[in-house]
Amino acid sequence: MAEAEETVPAGEVLVVRGVRKTYEAEDVPVRALRGADLTMARGEFAAVMGPSGCGKSTLLNLIAGLDQADDGEITIDGELVTGRTEDELARLRRRHIGIVFQFFNLLEGMSALENVVLPAVVAGTPRKRAEPRARDLLDLLGVGDKAKAAPGTLSGGQRQRLAIARALANEPTLLLADEPTGALDSEGGHEVMELFRRLHQGGQTILLVTHDDEVATVASRIVRMRDGRVLTGTPAAATADSAVPAG
Amino acid sequence: MAWWSGPGSAVGSLARADLRRRGRAVMAGGALIGLAAGIGMACIAGARRTDSLFPRHLAATRASDVEIDPGNLDPAADRAIRTLPNVVAASEWVVVEALPMQGGRPVDTLRTALPFTTDGRFLGPDLVSLAGGRRLDPTRPGEVMVNALYARIAHLHLGSRQQVGVFAATDNGAPLGKATRVETVTVVGIMALNDDVISEQLDRVPRIFVSPALMKGAPKSAFGFSWYGLRLAHGDADVDQVVTRWKQLAADHNRTLPKDQGGWLTFVHRTADQERTVSRAIRPLVTSLGAFGVLALVAAVVLAAQGMGRAVRQGADDTSIAQVLGLTSGEATLVGLAVPVATVVTAGLVAVGVAVGLSSRFPAGPYRILEPAPGVQVDALVLAAGLAALILLPVAVAAVVALRLARAGTAGQRDGARRPSRLVAWVARSGARPPLVASLRLTVEPGRGRAYVPTRSVLISSIVTVTFLITTIVFGSNLRALANEPARFGWTADGALLSDGGYGQFDPKVTTPWLNARTDIDGWLLVGADRTSLDGRQTAGVVYGPSRGRGAGMLPVIISGRAPRATGEIVAGAATLKSLHAHVGDAVTLGSGAGARRVRVTGTAVLPALGPVFAVRTRPDDGVWVMPGDRAAFDTLGSYGPPWNVVLLGFTPTSDLAVLNRDADKGPFLAPGTDADVYGVIRPSEVSTAASAGRGQNALIATLLGVAVLGLMLTLVAVVRRRRHDFAIYRTLGFTPGQLRLTVVGQGLLFAVAASVLGLPLGMVLGRQLWRLFAQRLGVVPAPTVAWPPLGLALVGVVLAGLLGALLPSLLAGRSAFAEAQRARGDVRS
C-alpha cells in the first residue's frame, strides 16, 4: 500500500495504469483492454464513452474489483485494487465503492429501506446508525415514502434512485455507474441524471459509463475509449456542444 | 466491530429475506423430501423392529427354553421333568377331551380341533398373545380362548357362547360316551400361541383353551398329551444336558414297561430352534422392507441433494449482488445455504414425524401380533442416521455449490462461454429437426450464470432411478418365480400324503397298492423324514424309498456336487454345511449314540419342507438327504415316524385335493383312531413370507417412478424458467409454440431414453446379483430368471414418466414471449 501511496499524486482518487484484460467468448480471445490509463481527482464526475465493445464496462468492472486485470495497476484512494483476492476486494468495496447497474440489481426479498441499510451493515455500521442514514438517503433521492415497499412494486426511475441510495450507503470514495439510465424512460433518465448532478455538486466522485451523449453532458469530463484504450479526457461541455442529440 | 453485528447481521438479513421470498418452496420441498425420507426411515426402523420381534417377544412373555412332550399326562413323568437338572420353572399344557357340543353331541367339524388347558402356562409363563379380548380367568369354568382358525371354523367371535362337554377318552377312536360335564362357555379372547403365528401350513391347528376350572374333577382319561415348558438356569446352554437326561430317564422308565406299552416320549421343542425358524421366515420380509426403506431414503437424499444444489443456484443472483455490496465469499456461502438448510431441516422434521407416526404400523407381516410393545416407537438410531444422511449430504452438496458460486463471486455475472457440445453440433449437421437439436442442446449444455440448470446431474439421477427400477423388477420377477415354481424351493412333487400329522407310518405293503390303484395319482415316492444330527448339530433329515412313475424324479434339487448314490453318502443343505464349516467332499458324523456313523458329503441341495407337524422339518437350505442304509442314524420316534411317514405324490390333471383327502381318511394304511391329510405344495414359511414381501414391489416401483417424474418436472420447469431467453430466441428464429413445447417434451424423452439405455443393463446386472445373494441367504435355487414383459412395461413406464414430467414445463415453454424474456434478462429478479 505504501508503495502505491507514494506513486499516487495528491488529490487523485482513482489511478488506472496500463491495465490489460483479455477474456474468451465462444472460444475466441477478446482483448477488451489493451493498456488503459485513467486518473480521477476527488470530486470529479467523469463519463466514459465509446462504441460497443470498446472496453467501457470491462474497465468499470476492474475498477470495482468485480474482475481481475491481466496486467497493469488500479488504485483507489491509494489502495491497490489489482492483485487482491475476492474477499479482499469485497472488503475494499465496502470502504470505497458504490455501484449502480443498468438493471438495478436490487434484492427483491428485502424492502427498499433494507436494500439501503444492507451495505452499511455489511461494512460494519451498527444497524441503529445505518437505518437513519438510509432513510435520509431515501428522502434525499425522493423515494422516502417507499421505504417499506418491495423494489418490484416501484417504477423504473424509483428503482434506480433506490439503487443509487444503496450505492451511497457507505459514503463511497467512488461511485460507479454502468449505463444507469439504460433501462429507464426519458423522464426516469432525466431524474436519475439530475440526481447524479446533485451528488457531484455535493462533492461525490463519480465514474459513469454510458453511450448516451446527453447523459454524458452531466459529467464534468468525458473519457473516450476505443479498442481497449482510453483516448482522451475532455471537458463535457465541449463534447455536448458538438454532440448529435441522442435520438 | 464484532462480525455478528456487522457482516453477520447482513448475512442474517439476507438469509431471512431469501427465506421469506422462497418460504413456500422451502415448506413444499421440505415436506415432499421429508415424506419420502420419513417413509424410508419408517421402513428401515420397521425392518429392525420386525427383525428383533421374536426375541423381544420371548423375553417379554417369559418364554420357556425348551418344551418336552412325555406323552399322556403322567404324575411320575411330571415329577421327573420338574426335577430335571437346572430347571428353574416348569409348567404344562395338556390336551383335553373338552369338545364343543351341539344338540348334546360333539360337533363333527371341530373334532380335529385341539382343546387344551394348562396349569397356568400361557397365562403367566409363556404368556399367550391376544388378537382381541382378554386372557381367560383360570378360576371361571365358563371362559375360553380360541385361536383365529378355530374362531373361523366354528364361526365364533368375542363374546360368542358355546356349549362344551368334557368326555372320558376312548381307545382307538371309539365313539365317545356321555359327557361328564357340560358347560356353556363364552369366548373372552382370540389368542395367538407362538405356533399359531409362526407355524407353517402343516402346523396350523384350530385350538380352544378351556379354563382349568372347567376340567376340575374331570376323569383322568380326559387328559391326553402334555407339553412341559421348562425355564432353565442358563437358558439354551442347559438344553442339551436337560434333553440328554430326559432321554435317559425315559429309556430307563420305558424298559420297565411291557413292549406294547408306549411309555414316555422324548419329543422336544427347543425354543432356540423356533427362534431360528422365525428368524429365517422373517428374513425375506425384513430384507425387502429394509431394502425398500433404504431405496426410499436414498431417493429422498438424492432428491434433496439435487434440489439443494438447484436452490443455491436459484439464489445465486442475490448472493452475487451481496458480494458486489461487500460480502466475502464465506459470508455469501452462508447466505446461499439458508434455503437449503431450512429445507432439509423442514424435511428432517417432517421425516421424523412421518417415521414416528408410521412406526405403529410395524412390525410388519403375520408376526405383528407377537409385538410385546405395540404402538408408536422411536428408533433413535435409525432416526439419527436417517437425519444425518438427509441433512448432512444435501447441505454438503449445497455448501460445495454455494462456495463454488461465491468463489466465482461477482465474476459469475460475466463468465465466459463454455465450449458448445460437439454432439449437438454433429446432430445439428446431420439434419435433425430443429426441436430435437434444441432439446439436445438444452439437455447436454447446462447453461451458465443465472441460466444454469444442473441437467447433467439430473441425467445421472435419472439413470440411477431407472437402474433401481429395473433392479426392483428383476428382483420382483424372481420372487414371483420363486412363489410359482416350487422346484426353486426344493418342492419337486405335486403334493404329499401324511398320516397322523407325519407321526403315522405308511407300510409299503398296504400303501403302495392303494396308491397304484388310484387314477388321480401318476407317481409317488415314499419318504422317511425326521430328526437326526450332523457333527452333533440337530437337524432334520430325509431318506427316499420306493417310488413309482414320476415319483423317481421327486428328489431334492442339487445345486452343487452330486446326489448320494450309496450308503455312507449324504447331501446337505447349504446352511447346514455352513454351520458345520464343512464342504462337499468332507466327512461328517451322521446321527448320535449307537446309530452314529461317518458319512461323506457329496453335494448340496435345496430340500423340500418335509417332516411331521410341530417337528423340526427339512428346509430349503437346512437338513440332510440320507441313503436308506443310513436310516438308523435318525432319532427314533418310538412307534411313530420313519421308516416311511410321508408319501410324495404326482397328481394327474383330474386330481382333486378334496377327493384325495376324503379317500385318504379311509386309507388302509391308517392306524386305528388316526387320520390322513393330502397337502398340495408345502411352502416353507420363509418362502411364503418372501412371496408376500414381493407384493410391496408395486409400491416401490410407483415411488421410484413418482420420484423420477417429480425430479424431471422440477428440472424442466427450471430449464424453461431459467433459459427463457433461449426459448425467446428460438421463437424469434421461427419456432412455433408447438415446436417450443416439443423441445421440452423432447428433452423429457431424451432423459427417459438415455436413462433407459444405461439403466436397463445396469439394473439387470444389479437385480440378478441381488437375487443371487438373496436366494443364497434364503437357501433356494439361486439361478436368476429374467421376465421380459415386465421389463418392457417398465421401459414404457419410464418413457411415459418422461412425457408426464415434461407436460407442465412444455406448456410453460409454449407461452414463452420474446419481449418478456428480454425484459426479464435484464432484471435479476427474473
Side-chain angles (χ1 to χ4, degrees):
Chain A
M1 288 309 111
E3 189 186 338
E5 280 168 12
E6 282 173 19
T7 60
V8 176
E12 288 188 342
V13 168
L14 172 69
V15 178
V16 177
R17 281 186 187 154
V19 169
R20 295 172 186 277
K21 177 69 181 176
T22 301
Y23 58 84
E24 286 201 354
E26 307 285 337
D27 282 346
V28 178
V30 176
R31 297 173 66 194
L33 293 177
R34 306 176 185 189
D37 298 295
L38 176 68
T39 55
M40 279 186 75
R42 195 175 301 280
E44 194 177 2
F45 184 176
V48 181
M49 297 191 71
S52 289
C54 71
K56 302 186 296 288
S57 292
T58 303
L59 178 64
L60 198 79
N61 285 338
L62 292 177
I63 293 169
L66 300 179
D67 205 348
Q68 299 273 10
D70 298 332
D71 196 11
E73 194 176 272
I74 300 171
T75 54
I76 296 176
D77 210 12
E79 287 193 46
L80 203 57
V81 176
T82 42
R84 290 178 180 250
T85 64
E86 281 280 348
D87 286 355
E88 287 169 343
L89 289 171
R91 292 191 189 95
L92 185 136
R93 277 196 296 275
R94 293 176 192 175
R95 293 192 298 276
H96 294 302
I97 305 285
I99 312 174
V100 178
F101 295 96
Q102 178 178 1
F103 292 108
F104 326 126
N105 282 3
L106 295 165
L107 295 164
E108 198 61 29
M110 298 182 143
S111 67
L113 180 67
E114 284 174 305
N115 263 278
V116 182
V117 167
L118 187 75
V121 175
V122 169
T125 309
R127 192 172 286 273
K128 278 184 182 172
R129 255 183 35 216
E131 274 197 20
R133 170 161 169 77
R135 286 185 191 282
D136 289 347
L137 280 170
L138 289 174
D139 286 338
L140 180 72
L141 298 178
V143 284
D145 58 332
K146 305 291 182 188
K148 289 182 181 171
T153 63
L154 305 179
S155 70
Q158 287 171 328
R159 280 200 256 181
Q160 196 59 301
R161 275 184 278 164
L162 175 58
I164 294 168
R166 188 180 65 180
L168 295 171
N170 283 333
E171 301 178 58
T173 312
L174 180 61
L175 178 64
L176 302 173
D178 188 0
E179 302 280 9
T181 60
L184 304 177
D185 58 19
S186 59
E187 188 185 347
H190 282 120
E191 284 177 12
V192 166
M193 292 323 298
E194 174 58 20
L195 271 175
F196 276 106
R197 195 184 59 74
R198 278 166 47 200
L199 288 170
H200 175 224
Q201 283 175 348
Q204 177 67 55
T205 312
I206 303 170
L207 179 64
L208 177 147
V209 165
T210 183
H211 62 271
D212 186 338
D213 290 333
E214 193 181 347
V215 170
T217 56
V218 187
S220 58
R221 179 160 69 116
I222 304 286
V223 177
R224 291 208 174 270
M225 287 187 72
R226 177 167 294 168
D227 300 332
R229 291 193 181 88
V230 176
L231 300 179
T232 56
T234 55
T239 306
D241 291 344
S242 61
V244 178
Chain B
M1 166 61 64
W3 183 85
W4 283 110
S5 53
S9 170
V11 167
S13 297
L14 284 161
R16 279 194 297 277
D18 204 10
L19 287 173
R20 272 200 301 275
R21 191 163 57 84
R22 297 198 276 168
R24 268 188 291 186
V26 166
M27 296 302 290
L32 187 72
I33 293 164
L35 183 65
I39 291 171
M41 282 151 68
C43 288
I44 297 169
R48 277 165 47 83
R49 195 176 183 182
T50 306
D51 193 32
S52 66
L53 169 62
F54 200 60
R56 286 188 293 111
H57 164 75
L58 292 177
T61 56
R62 292 193 290 141
S64 304
D65 297 304
V66 66
E67 195 175 46
I68 290 177
D69 174 14
N72 281 339
L73 194 62
D74 176 346
D78 183 275
R79 275 193 303 277
I81 289 172
R82 289 175 192 276
T83 54
L84 283 168
N86 296 326
V87 171
V88 175
S91 56
E92 97 268 12
W93 66 278
V94 55
V95 179
V96 293
E97 295 286 351
L99 306 174
M101 308 272 288
Q102 205 167 41
R105 295 179 54 77
V107 181
D108 277 347
T109 52
L110 292 170
R111 289 291 297 269
T112 56
L114 193 61
F116 68 93
T117 192
T118 75
D119 63 348
R121 195 174 172 200
F122 303 138
L123 299 174
D126 292 312
L127 189 66
V128 70
S129 301
L130 290 172
R134 60 173 175 82
R135 294 178 187 90
L136 64 78
D137 182 341
T139 64
R140 293 184 182 171
E143 290 188 357
V144 295
M145 292 190 289
V146 296
N147 68 0
L149 186 57
Y150 188 101
R152 183 157 57 83
I153 293 171
H155 308 292
L156 296 178
H157 51 80
L158 280 179
S160 292
R161 294 164 73 82
Q162 187 181 44
Q163 269 199 333
V164 169
V166 177
F167 294 84
T170 57
D171 288 337
N172 297 336
L176 293 168
K178 197 168 180 289
T180 61
R181 179 175 181 176
V182 175
E183 186 84 30
T184 300
V185 297
T186 304
V187 177
V188 296
I190 306 295
M191 65 181 176
L193 291 162
N194 289 357
D195 282 342
D196 293 328
V197 181
I198 66 175
S199 63
E200 296 171 340
Q201 183 187 0
L202 283 180
D203 299 334
R204 284 179 198 147
V205 180
R207 299 169 198 249
I208 178 169
F209 184 172
V210 300
S211 170
L214 178 70
M215 299 307 294
K216 205 170 183 181
K220 194 179 167 190
S221 68
F223 296 87
F225 274 89
S226 56
W227 291 90
Y228 286 78
L230 307 181
R231 292 187 68 204
L232 308 177
H234 306 100
D236 187 62
D238 287 339
V239 170
D240 286 338
Q241 187 190 359
V242 166
V243 170
T244 305
R245 179 68 186 140
W246 170 246
K247 284 181 177 175
Q248 282 171 356
L249 289 173
D252 293 346
H253 171 79
N254 292 348
R255 265 196 295 276
T256 65
L257 300 174
K259 279 203 170 178
D260 58 342
Q261 201 171 330
W264 294 349
L265 302 177
T266 55
F267 293 158
V268 171
H269 280 177
R270 194 171 183 150
T271 304
D273 286 341
Q274 202 178 39
E275 207 173 332
R276 268 196 295 276
T277 305
V278 173
S279 167
R280 193 162 35 203
I282 283 181
R283 195 185 298 155
L285 191 63
V286 169
T287 307
S288 57
L289 199 58
F292 176 80
V294 168
L295 277 183
L297 186 59
V298 167
V301 171
V302 168
L303 195 66
Q306 227 179 49
M308 295 314 97
R310 202 157 33 218
V312 171
R313 289 192 175 91
Q314 280 168 354
D317 293 329
D318 278 3
T319 43
S320 180
I321 293 168
Q323 280 185 279
V324 170
L325 299 178
L327 280 194
T328 63
S329 54
E331 290 156 358
T333 303
L334 288 178
V335 174
L337 282 178
V339 164
V341 168
T343 306
V344 291
V345 167
T346 305
L349 292 173
V350 172
V352 168
V354 169
V356 173
L358 287 178
S359 66
S360 61
R361 309 285 300 173
F362 297 102
Y367 309 99
R368 177 180 163 79
I369 197 171
L370 300 180
E371 172 60 51
V376 169
Q377 191 200 44
V378 177
D379 188 330
L381 182 68
V382 170
L383 291 185
L387 278 179
L390 184 61
I391 293 176
L392 295 183
L393 194 69
V395 167
V397 169
V400 169
V401 174
L403 196 61
R404 277 176 55 191
L405 288 173
R407 289 232 171 107
T410 52
Q413 300 197 338
R414 43 109 194 105
D415 49 2
R418 292 190 188 192
R419 184 189 294 275
S421 161
R422 287 181 184 166
L423 174 67
V424 177
W426 179 80
V427 172
R429 279 199 305 274
S430 68
R433 309 279 298 172
L436 173 65
V437 178
S439 296
L440 194 59
R441 186 184 303 282
L442 291 169
T443 304
V444 300
E445 293 177 2
R448 59 180 189 273
R450 77 180 71 132
Y452 179 85
V453 181
T455 46
R456 288 175 191 176
S457 70
V458 173
L459 189 59
I460 291 168
S461 65
S462 300
I463 293 166
V464 171
T465 305
V466 173
T467 303
F468 280 162
L469 184 72
I470 299 298
T471 302
T472 308
I473 288 169
V474 170
F475 191 85
S477 58
N478 277 284
L479 266 184
R480 268 193 302 281
L482 176 65
N484 298 331
E485 298 169 23
R488 288 180 168 268
F489 51 87
W491 190 261
T492 47
D494 294 332
L497 170 64
L498 273 73
S499 162
D500 209 15
Y503 295 98
Q505 293 180 5
F506 291 103
D507 181 350
K509 284 181 192 161
V510 293
T511 307
T512 55
W514 183 85
L515 292 167
N516 293 339
R518 294 200 67 89
T519 55
D520 52 359
I521 292 174
D522 65 0
W524 51 261
L525 172 61
L526 291 182
V527 185
D530 200 20
R531 180 179 283 226
T532 183
S533 64
L534 275 182
D535 280 351
R537 177 187 178 271
Q538 292 284 323
T539 187
V542 282
V543 55
Y544 292 93
S547 66
R548 182 172 179 179
R550 287 203 290 132
M554 295 174 186
L555 298 170
V557 181
I558 298 290
I559 51 173
S560 73
R562 62 167 176 82
R565 290 175 190 152
T567 300
E569 292 184 346
I570 62 159
V571 156
T576 312
L577 276 193
K578 194 176 172 189
S579 70
L580 300 174
H581 305 291
H583 304 90
V584 174
D586 289 352
V588 292
T589 301
L590 175 68
S592 58
R597 75 250 350 257
R598 295 291 283 174
V599 292
R600 189 162 298 282
V601 182
T602 62
T604 57
V606 178
L607 299 156
L610 290 176
V613 299
F614 305 137
V616 175
R617 295 187 285 267
T618 49
R619 314 194 70 83
D621 62 349
D622 192 11
V624 56
W625 171 7
V626 175
M627 295 306 287
D630 292 317
R631 196 163 52 198
F634 278 122
D635 286 357
T636 173
L637 290 174
S639 58
Y640 298 90
W644 313 120
N645 59 340
V646 178
V647 185
L648 292 177
L649 303 173
F651 297 149
T652 64
T654 58
S655 296
D656 181 334
L657 214 54
V659 172
L660 274 165
N661 260 304
R662 189 191 61 207
D663 293 352
D665 264 340
K666 300 172 198 156
F669 39 78
L670 289 178
T674 63
D675 56 6
D677 292 293
V678 178
Y679 297 89
V681 174
I682 296 175
R683 286 183 167 77
S685 50
E686 59 265 41
V687 171
S688 303
T689 316
S692 70
R695 287 181 210 125
Q697 187 200 3
N698 290 343
L700 182 54
I701 290 171
T703 305
L704 287 170
L705 280 177
V707 168
V709 169
L710 192 70
L712 189 61
M713 190 171 76
L714 290 174
T715 302
L716 294 182
V717 165
V719 167
V720 172
R721 287 204 170 147
R722 297 180 78 77
R723 301 186 73 171
R724 72 176 84 172
H725 185 71
D726 290 2
F727 282 95
I729 290 174
Y730 287 134
R731 194 149 192 189
T732 63
L733 296 177
F735 273 51
T736 63
Q739 283 178 311
L740 291 177
R741 285 194 290 270
L742 202 58
T743 300
V744 177
V745 169
Q747 216 184 339
L749 282 176
L750 277 173
F751 276 121
V753 170
S756 300
V757 165
L758 290 168
L760 177 66
L762 284 174
M764 285 183 67
V765 170
L766 195 59
R768 289 165 68 92
Q769 285 303 324
L770 275 179
W771 173 255
R772 276 201 186 91
L773 285 173
F774 182 81
Q776 279 163 1
R777 284 196 71 193
L778 201 61
V780 299
V781 176
T785 178
V786 175
W788 291 104
L791 285 177
L793 274 177
L795 292 182
V796 171
V798 169
V799 171
L800 286 176
L803 289 173
L804 193 63
L807 189 64
L808 174 69
S810 74
L811 295 176
L812 292 174
R815 293 208 295 262
S816 295
F818 180 77
E820 186 194 336
Q822 282 292 46
R823 277 196 302 276
R825 191 185 194 193
D827 188 345
V828 293
R829 294 271 40 86
S830 58

